[in-house]
Amino acid sequence: MLVPVGDDEAMDRQPYDCPVATEADRPVTELGEFLRSRRDRLSPDDAGVSSYGRRRVPGLRREELAQLAGVSVTYLTRLEQGQSQNASDSVIDALARALRLDADERAHLFALARPTPVKRPRPSRPETAKPGAEQLLHAMGDVPAVLLGRFNDILAWNRSGHRLLAGHLDYDAPAYEEERPNQMKLLFLDEHTRDLYADWADEAALAVASLRFVAARFADDRRLAELVGNLSMNSAEFARLWAGYDVRLCTSGSKRFRHPEVGQLTLGYEVLHLPEGNGQRILTHTAEPGSDSSAALRLLTA
């Protein structure tokens, strides 16, 4: 069923026989890449669309998504190409419903579709740990905790966090910008960190999906471009996951560790975002009381 289209979309409508850019002709935009990746994973049967003719795409065609969302193919093409930046909330909602996006993907779609000026990547100001957040880390004592920057630079950690996640690194490294570890680089490029996670493939996929979510808010930040470029050049696994365009806001869950000092650990984690909204957050780890992991964690942090 078609949904109503706002006046801003109507202005972009063209006669049905007007030329429409093909998939190959479309310039690459973040919004276009995201919409195409979501179309590719949704089959016509799943979407309730009757399939016809020889299919050259793995999922929905652009015209099929346009029909499901109640917009013209021309308008959807212009939206993907960044030529129409006035999409109403109703149209974005309709696209999200048609593509069956979850809450994180829907939020990401809204972030990409908001009209923003095209900018060259700008240099980042060096991030610093908020004094109150760093004080909180150290007050946690035996709770392993790490303060992460918007692109996963480790800005600070307490002794327990350092022992759990990166005991092979200098404890003072986060205090110096040129030596500061980056959680994404450690995960993909550091063998110690790779061995630490019993479910490394799941951890890596979640980390990249989370970075994708953040990237929509800081798309013009040169630090992001440098990080993605570095990881793509040095890790084929990162490049594959980044191209997959999965999106997820990571807030809580559990992780299994193979720690070199205390062996197997299963720990719950919580991500506490700072109220300033600058992308910094505190990552904490805890064990179920009375469990073997709790005993191992006490031994590690003693």
Side-chain angles (χ1 to χ4, degrees), residues 2-3 8 29 52 72-73 90 151 159 225 258 266 291-292:
L2 302 187
V3 298
D8 46 0
T29 67
Y52 59 91
S72 72
V73 179
S90 64
F151 304 135
R159 292 284 178 185
R258 293 186 299 240
T266 299
S291 65
D292 291 342

Side-chain angles (χ1 to χ4, degrees), residues 225-241:
E226 291 172 350
L227 176 63
V228 171
N230 180 285
L231 287 168
S232 297
M233 288 287 292
N234 292 288
S235 171
E237 291 155 315
F238 174 87
R240 176 182 59 81
L241 289 168

Side-chain angles (χ1 to χ4, degrees), residues 98-267:
L99 291 168
R100 303 190 177 185
L101 303 187
D102 62 25
D104 290 342
E105 291 169 331
R106 181 180 178 279
H108 188 69
L109 177 61
F110 267 87
L112 292 176
R114 292 301 95 189
T116 54
V118 177
K119 300 176 183 178
R120 290 185 177 182
R122 56 181 172 80
S124 300
R125 291 184 177 180
E127 286 188 274
T128 57
K130 182 182 176 182
E134 189 167 6
Q135 182 177 329
L136 177 59
L137 290 185
H138 297 297
M140 289 181 178
D142 294 341
V143 176
V146 177
L147 177 63
L148 297 172
R150 57 185 174 273
F151 304 135
N152 291 59
D153 286 330
I154 297 175
L155 305 181
W157 47 26
N158 59 15
R159 292 284 178 185
S160 299
H162 173 246
R163 290 289 301 276
L164 174 65
L165 299 176
H168 62 294
L169 300 181
D170 183 359
Y171 174 75
D172 294 324
Y176 304 100
E177 183 187 354
E178 64 277 6
E179 300 177 18
R180 184 174 291 160
N182 179 277
Q183 190 184 43
M184 295 294 296
K185 288 184 178 180
L186 289 175
L187 188 60
F188 284 93
L189 306 179
D190 180 80
E191 288 300 322
H192 294 277
T193 304
R194 190 185 188 105
D195 292 341
L196 180 65
Y197 292 97
D199 305 303
W200 182 88
D202 293 339
E203 181 70 18
L206 182 59
V208 174
S210 182
L211 184 63
R212 268 292 189 189
F213 186 93
V214 172
R217 293 181 53 204
F218 302 101
D220 64 333
D221 195 313
R222 187 177 298 168
R223 176 77 179 97
L224 173 63
E226 291 172 350
L227 176 63
V228 171
N230 180 285
L231 287 168
S232 297
M233 288 287 292
N234 292 288
S235 171
E237 291 155 315
F238 174 87
R240 176 182 59 81
L241 289 168
W242 188 254
Y245 221 125
D246 286 335
V247 176
R248 183 175 172 189
L249 179 60
C250 178
T251 56
S252 63
S254 64
K255 301 176 189 284
R256 295 194 306 133
F257 296 90
R258 293 186 299 240
H259 199 276
E261 296 182 47
V262 296
Q264 300 286 339
L265 290 160
T266 299
L267 302 178

Side-chain angles (χ1 to χ4, degrees), residues 53-93:
R54 185 172 65 89
R55 304 191 68 84
R56 293 180 295 176
V57 294
L60 290 181
R61 297 183 175 105
R62 182 188 287 143
E63 59 266 27
E64 291 168 340
L65 174 59
Q67 180 182 4
L68 288 170
V71 298
S72 72
V73 179
T74 302
Y75 177 74
L76 181 57
T77 302
R78 289 168 58 85
L79 188 65
E80 289 184 350
Q81 293 175 349
Q83 298 174 11
S84 183
Q85 297 184 334
N86 58 351
S88 64
D89 288 355
S90 64
V91 166
I92 301 173
D93 268 328

